[in-house]
Amino acid sequence: MFYPEYNKTFAMAEFQDSLAQSITSLRAKAEEAARTIATTDALEKFRIEFLARKGSVGQLFEELKSVPPDVKPKYGKLLNEFRIFVDALYQSAKTKIESTSAETDTFIDLTLPGRGLPLGTRHPITQTLDDIKSIFVSMGFGVVDGPEIEDDYHNFEALNFPPNHPARDMQDTFFLDKDVLLRTHTSPVQIRVMKERRPPLRVIMPGRVYRNEAISARSYCLFHQVEGLYVDRNVSFSELKGTLVAFARAFYGSSLKYKFRPSFFPFTEPSLEMDITCFLCSGKGCRVCKQSGWLEVLGAGMVHPNVLRNVGYDPEEFTGYAFGIGVERTTILRHNIPDIRLLFENDMRFLKQF
Ligand code: PHE
């Protein structure tokens, strides 16, 4: 490399040559390395490779030690400038990394409100069922469940629908077998409760029921009812009406307008239906109420003596009333929902409104 004994001029020329070469190739290497630095690890690697005391630039300073003293300052200056150049590469790579990571990883806006946890809501049918239950529970009724798959006896026969009775055609039934069916109303639970217990009996029986009907804005193949039953000595028809009015006022509000109409069910006698003012037209008459101004919300009546006999009660000793509330009907009226099918489609945009 450099031999001080030689002719000075020659030696200087040779040193200059080799130093210039080293600088040129090292400069290209450092520039290339600095261009690709993207992480703090790569930045540190660059520093160790080039700028640390034993790094490539440091090595050149080692070589400077053996340069003749009279030319040392000149080459020392040259090398110093090179080191400042490589250090500048390092600094600009460093600021680049710091600015990008500050923008993406560590920026926190402390003025933002906290993220809320998404909460579910109860289905509108469930809300109506819960409200109906709590009104009747507060009047002293208990709550009882029954099976959705029933036999002909509980769904029809014990309820005073004899075989071939025309009333059986009023309810289009899903039969699973000759004698097995999906219950078409919650009234069969009346039979089960009365057979299991003795009066006084005061229960409601909420649940799903099924009918083989054409699906439309007004009817669906499955819906819910809340059946009610009260059997004791001296239960009267006026008690039935009083209970229904108390329920309707508690549910729809005390300003509610209602009326009772005579009706027919095989398992009650006398029977009635309760109407309330149409929610859409407020009683003026419209398409929803078929121009009548009224909407039917429930059926009811005094338990038929034949039904009491079927469950082993003496109709001379006991009387009772029963009622059946349509839960979908009630929900639609309460929320002004234009189509019953919305209650079964589980569209979140609809359900989130309740
Ligand atoms: N079960 C009847 C129906 O589904 C309603 C009802 C229940 C009527 C109890 C009278 C008494 O239409």
Side-chain angles (χ1 to χ4, degrees), residues 146-312:
E148 289 174 28
I149 296 174
E150 269 294 4
D151 48 30
D152 182 273
Y153 174 79
H154 288 90
N155 198 79
F156 293 123
E157 197 183 326
L159 287 165
N160 203 33
F161 296 75
N164 307 318
H165 189 289
R168 288 196 182 199
D169 290 340
M170 282 164 56
Q171 299 176 351
D172 295 339
T173 308
F174 288 112
F175 282 93
L176 303 179
D177 206 339
K178 206 174 133 281
D179 189 45
V180 186
L181 47 87
L182 295 178
R183 66 180 179 192
T184 58
H185 51 178
T186 42
S187 302
V189 193
Q190 287 186 36
I191 303 298
R192 293 182 179 275
V193 173
M194 286 193 282
K195 285 205 163 189
E196 238 167 58
R197 307 185 190 180
R198 296 285 299 167
L201 266 180
R202 202 195 280 120
V203 290
I204 55 167
M205 298 148 269
R208 255 189 299 248
V209 303
Y210 302 83
R211 285 185 204 176
N212 191 5
E213 283 181 271
I215 290 168
S216 73
R218 256 186 277 202
S219 54
Y220 202 68
C221 53
L222 102 91
F223 55 98
H224 297 74
Q225 290 184 333
V226 176
E227 191 85 7
L229 178 69
Y230 179 31
V231 186
D232 202 350
R233 291 184 175 85
N234 304 316
V235 176
S236 70
F237 194 62
S238 54
E239 269 181 279
L240 167 61
K241 293 202 288 182
T243 306
L244 294 177
V245 170
F247 159 73
R249 289 222 167 106
F251 190 85
Y252 291 106
S254 51
S255 60
L256 155 102
K257 279 206 210 139
Y258 64 89
K259 71 173 179 185
F260 292 118
R261 270 184 298 109
S263 185
F264 172 79
F265 303 100
F267 40 91
T268 50
E269 181 60 34
S271 304
L272 64 80
E273 280 173 312
M274 186 180 191
D275 294 350
I276 68 168
T277 313
C278 176
F279 67 87
L280 249 193
C281 61
S282 320
K284 286 186 205 80
C286 68
R287 245 185 51 225
V288 169
C289 58
K290 294 186 193 148
Q291 310 306 328
S292 71
W294 297 97
L295 286 165
E296 181 210 323
V297 288
L298 59 83
M302 300 307 289
V303 180
H304 197 288
N306 285 350
V307 174
L308 293 173
R309 266 183 225 110
N310 285 341
V311 296

